[in-house]
Every structure is written in structure tokens, then in C-alpha cells.
Amino acid sequence: FNRIYDGIIARMNREGGATAADWVNERSAEELAGIFWRYGEEPESRAIARAIIRERARTPFRTTGQLAEVIARSKRGRRRIHPATQCFQALRIAVNGELTALERGLEGAIRLLRPGGRVAVIAFHSLEDRLVKQCLARHAGHWESLQAGGRVWRGDLPAVKVLTRKPGVPTAVE
């Protein structure tokens, strides 16, 4: 692992903004737990956040190894993946503002579509997949009949037609 200040997790914008080290060493337990829960879907987010707060009171986090060790110690049971994986994912997403960037990109792509055009999105985890589905659902909208007659569009514009409801998944060969 590299030193945290050399980039615990690479930022998309290396020119400025808080680093993951800043987040881990300065945020409150509530904020860290929220990040781990929201962006890492980490079920033990509160316990991990409390462990981080206790450890950094003794010494600030300087390496990813140090952070990974504290996270691993604070989690119960055995895992298929390294115990810190979900927290590191959460920090990366938060530091980079990845979901905000994805949403802005989707909205921009939809606005640029010509009639008959298509947008294809590859999502790498459930948070991205959920955000894409929600955005497309808002734009797919629906027509609602009015009691006085006529109808009104309920949804974001421009309107789109969702062509696939379920994600495509690669075959074993792919």
C-alpha cells in the first residue's frame, strides 16, 4: 500500500479538494458511518466509524494498510473479500463525487439524444446500477389521465423509452 497522502485512493481531480486521508482523519463518526453505509453498503458502518475515530485519536492515519487493519479488526466474521473493500469503495466514491458525476453525465447524454438515439450505460456495482435505473425511470415517466379530461406528462423531460428493464450480463466467454 502507498502512503495515504500519496493517494489512499486516486482522485479523479488531483488538482484540489479533500483527499481520502482528509476524510478519514477529519470527519465525524456519523459522517464516516453515513459514507460507508451509503456508498459501500457496509452493514457494520457505525462500528467501523467508531473504531476509526478511536484509532485516529492516538495517531492520524498515514497508510492504507493502517486503515485496512483497523477496519478488519472492527468487523465480525469471515468474508469472501478483504474486510476493508467496501469502505475503500465508499471513500473512493465520496472523494471523487462519482455518483454525482454519473448522474450529471446521464442527464447530459439524455439531453443530447436525437429522436431514435440510444444511450448505453455500463455499471460496475449496484449503486451505479440503481442510479441509472432511477434516472431512466424519471425520464421514461408516464401519461396520467386528468379527471376533467385530457392527460398530463408525469416525468422529467426530455422523455425517453427504456428498451431493457433488466441489465445485460456478460456470458462466460465475454
Side-chain angles (χ1 to χ4, degrees):
F1 287 108
N2 294 331
R3 289 181 43 231
I4 283 185
Y5 293 103
D6 289 341
I8 182 175
I9 297 160
R11 285 185 295 171
M12 291 192 297
N13 176 5
R14 291 182 177 266
E15 300 302 313
T19 65
D22 297 332
W23 287 57
V24 170
N25 285 314
E26 298 169 6
R27 300 285 174 132
S28 69
E30 295 78 23
E31 288 174 301
L32 288 172
I35 290 164
F36 297 150
W37 175 256
R38 190 175 317 110
Y39 300 135
E41 298 178 320
E42 172 55 65
E44 297 180 59
S45 60
R46 288 188 178 108
I48 293 166
R50 286 190 303 267
I52 288 171
I53 300 299
R54 279 192 307 272
E55 182 66 25
R56 80 176 189 206
R58 282 182 258 168
T59 180
F61 285 92
R62 300 243 182 255
T63 66
T64 54
Q66 183 185 3
L67 178 60
E69 185 179 314
V70 169
I71 293 169
R73 278 196 322 255
S74 66
K75 289 183 75 166
R76 300 179 301 264
R78 302 192 79 185
R79 307 271 184 231
R80 292 179 294 120
I81 59 174
H82 190 281
T85 300
Q86 290 170 275
C87 291
F88 276 66
Q89 171 185 298
L91 284 169
R92 189 200 75 229
I93 289 169
V95 167
N96 288 323
E98 291 177 22
L99 297 182
T100 303
L102 174 58
E103 188 156 24
R104 279 196 315 253
L106 280 170
E107 291 291 342
I110 290 169
R111 280 194 311 277
L112 291 172
L113 274 180
R114 290 186 177 147
R118 293 179 184 217
V119 171
V121 179
I122 298 174
F124 291 97
H125 53 77
S126 60
L127 294 173
E128 292 172 347
D129 185 57
R130 188 176 310 123
L131 191 143
V132 170
K133 286 177 180 176
Q134 289 170 348
C135 179
L136 291 176
R138 282 193 315 271
H139 283 277
H142 63 279
W143 288 101
E144 189 175 293
S145 296
L146 298 173
Q147 206 168 20
R151 60 188 188 154
V152 65
W153 174 256
R154 300 286 188 211
D156 290 356
L157 294 173
V160 300
K161 178 181 176 186
V162 177
L163 300 178
T164 58
R165 293 279 171 208
K166 297 204 180 249
V169 293
T171 64
V173 172
E174 293 171 321

